[in-house]
Amino acid sequence: MRFRHPDGSTVHLAYCTNVHPAETLDGVLAQLRDHCEPVRRRLGRDRLGIGLWLARDAARSLTTDPASLRALRAELDRRGLEVVTLNGFPYEGFGADEVKYRVYRPDWTHPDRLAHTTDLARLLAALLPEDVTEGSVSTLPLAWRTPFDAEAAAIASAALTTLAGRLDALEELTGRSIRIGLEPEPGCIVETVADAVAALTPAPAANPHPSPATSPTTGPAPSPSSGPAPHPTSGPGPRIGVCLDTCHLATSFEDPRTALDSLAAAGIPVPKAQLSAALHAEHPHLPEVRAALAAFAEPRFLHQTRTRTAAGLRGTDDLPEALAASGHRDTTAHGLPDATPWRSHFHIPLHAPPAPPLTSTLPVLQDALALLVGGPHPVTRHLEVETYTWQALPPESRPRTRARLADGIAAELTLARDLLTDLGLKELP
């Protein structure tokens, strides 16, 4: 879906196809037929943007076989679909019965991550619509927080610098500008926007090799990173920025204005934003609230959980750990303090918040979106609804058929469209 911003530029809205994971090219083609085109038809649109997730095997097939790439491009056109952004965060296995920590491998210290992201950038340059010259790829925020030391930080920084050089060369060759967005996520070495600023800006000359961020590596209730990500000695440049996921932003209790102001002050671009909402519990000490939260503690994905206390942000790697103990109103070695609200990294459908006593962080999304595209010029032109947890919802909320899933995704996109038009953007044919 395309929108005209009041400044005359085009803003793209898509939904991410990692909600229907497929590991192979045949699986991707089936997604277009079975899911993406039906969503487009429900919206009554001639054209629908999708944020493709291409797993390693699918990306390799497309990279090594030009005929397959041409066939994918033709299939997108035939089904009324367009691609301006890719989700490069999961590498493979996102449809497995248990994903958890596996989604963070390989990280940016491993050459496979650089190779895969390079492939994605080259593929996106070939998949962009004829009238579009800018593409974006979201990616892992360097690594899971442990183990990650100064040597790992240097390797990751060097990989991003190499990638930036390859993107420069790609634009010279194709005329298409592809930018990469690190996606801050709870529990990662880049958990917050402040961490992203530290990771993407050069270290001060007086202190070129700071110690890495210190985060607990063991124990039942690890806290979020207690310091910023290590500074590189040189930045990767404007090709590498931040993908702002509003679920992750809310989970870490970040203020959207503070976050975006800090990126602007550091000169770090926002190639892409993911419109998503986290799970919110206002009174986690109440038994009925804990029972409601327990319904979202499922075995497939990590649901990092955070609370903001007088002593700072506290967190666990997963929701079951947060629920491990109750009655600890200030501090505890087991579970989370429960005197203040909890937020959990569980992507809640935008149009369907959970039943009371829980809710979602949709207001954080709305505040962030107003700052991203509600001003005189858009901060980013690529927006993506990313709700990959439809099948991880409590059983009574899961769509039982493809048709019901398509209905839900179309409803999410409708809400996002309405938010954009309320901000003064005009929907284009």
Side-chain angles (χ1 to χ4, degrees):
M1 300 169 75
R2 297 186 183 193
F3 297 81
R4 181 73 69 203
H5 190 273
D7 75 347
S9 62
T10 300
V11 173
H12 296 264
L13 173 66
Y15 89 90
C16 186
T17 63
N18 62 355
V19 64
H20 346 276
E23 300 291 315
T24 66
L25 179 56
D26 285 344
V28 171
L29 295 173
Q31 288 176 353
L32 305 185
R33 179 192 68 226
D34 297 338
H35 299 288
C36 302
E37 185 177 12
V39 170
R40 178 183 65 78
R41 292 187 181 280
R42 279 164 172 75
L43 292 167
R45 305 290 304 169
D46 293 333
R47 174 174 55 189
L48 176 67
I50 58 172
L52 271 181
W53 174 59
L54 297 174
R56 177 197 63 176
D57 288 348
R60 286 182 179 174
S61 295
L62 292 165
T63 301
T64 57
D65 182 2
S68 293
L69 181 57
R70 290 193 295 270
L72 174 59
R73 177 64 185 269
E75 189 71 358
L76 289 166
D77 292 341
R78 187 167 78 88
R79 299 195 180 278
L81 306 169
E82 66 178 13
V83 177
V84 303
T85 188
L86 300 179
N87 187 332
F89 194 134
Y91 181 73
E92 61 183 347
F94 202 60
D97 291 338
E98 182 176 333
V99 178
K100 299 290 184 180
Y101 294 94
R102 291 172 51 192
V103 75
Y104 306 107
R105 300 193 297 266
D107 62 32
W108 275 99
T109 67
H110 198 286
D112 284 351
R113 177 61 65 172
L114 173 60
H116 179 61
T117 310
T118 301
D119 285 345
L120 293 180
R122 291 169 177 162
L123 292 172
L124 181 56
L127 292 173
L128 287 176
E130 294 296 336
D131 61 342
V132 175
T133 59
E134 294 183 356
S136 60
V137 180
S138 49
T139 188
L140 179 77
L142 297 187
W144 185 250
R145 70 176 183 274
T146 57
F148 199 84
D149 56 17
E151 181 181 3
I155 293 170
S157 178
L160 291 177
T161 300
T162 298
L163 176 64
R166 292 176 179 178
L167 297 177
D168 287 340
L170 182 63
E171 182 172 14
E172 289 183 11
L173 180 66
T174 66
R176 268 80 188 280
S177 173
I178 308 298
R179 296 191 296 174
I180 308 299
L182 300 183
E183 185 183 329
E185 176 164 313
C188 292
I189 194 64
V190 174
E191 166 156 342
T192 66
V193 168
D195 294 335
V197 170
L200 294 174
T201 54
N207 185 23
H209 299 290
S211 299
T214 55
S215 300
T217 59
T218 60
S223 299
S225 174
S226 59
H231 278 275
T233 55
S234 61
R239 294 285 183 188
I240 314 295
V242 165
C243 170
L244 194 74
D245 184 302
T246 58
C247 169
H248 303 170
L249 187 82
T251 301
S252 294
F253 288 86
E254 290 195 83
D255 173 65
R257 182 174 295 279
T258 302
L260 287 166
D261 284 351
S262 67
L263 290 172
I268 295 173
V270 183
K272 171 180 179 178
Q274 289 175 324
L275 307 184
S276 53
L279 183 65
H280 180 94
E282 186 68 18
H283 302 293
H285 66 285
L286 296 177
E288 61 268 29
V289 175
R290 301 180 80 86
L293 284 169
F296 288 84
E298 54 83 36
R300 185 172 175 187
F301 300 110
L302 278 185
H303 300 295
Q304 302 93 316
T305 304
R306 300 287 184 259
T307 188
R308 187 168 50 187
T309 72
L313 200 63
R314 294 288 306 279
T316 61
D317 284 355
D318 211 349
L319 183 54
E321 298 169 23
L323 293 166
S326 61
H328 298 271
R329 305 302 303 278
D330 297 311
T331 185
T332 178
H334 302 281
L336 272 185
D338 59 12
T340 49
W342 287 5
R343 289 177 178 174
S344 188
H345 173 215
F346 196 117
H347 289 240
I348 301 297
L350 301 188
H351 69 292
L358 304 179
T359 187
S360 81
T361 61
L362 183 62
V364 177
L365 183 160
Q366 293 173 293
D367 290 346
L369 188 62
L371 295 168
L372 287 165
V373 300
H377 304 287
V379 175
T380 184
R381 289 185 289 273
H382 292 175
L383 303 172
E384 179 183 77
V385 172
E386 194 207 23
T387 306
Y388 58 83
T389 45
W390 274 97
Q391 301 301 341
L393 290 167
E396 66 274 10
S397 301
R398 295 175 193 170
R400 298 298 181 183
T401 64
R402 289 177 182 170
R404 294 293 298 274
L405 178 59
D407 290 342
I409 294 170
E412 288 197 275
L413 285 166
T414 297
L415 185 147
R417 179 194 64 195
D418 291 346
L419 292 177
L420 290 172
T421 56
D422 287 348
L423 289 171
L425 281 73
K426 180 181 178 182
E427 187 176 7
L428 297 174

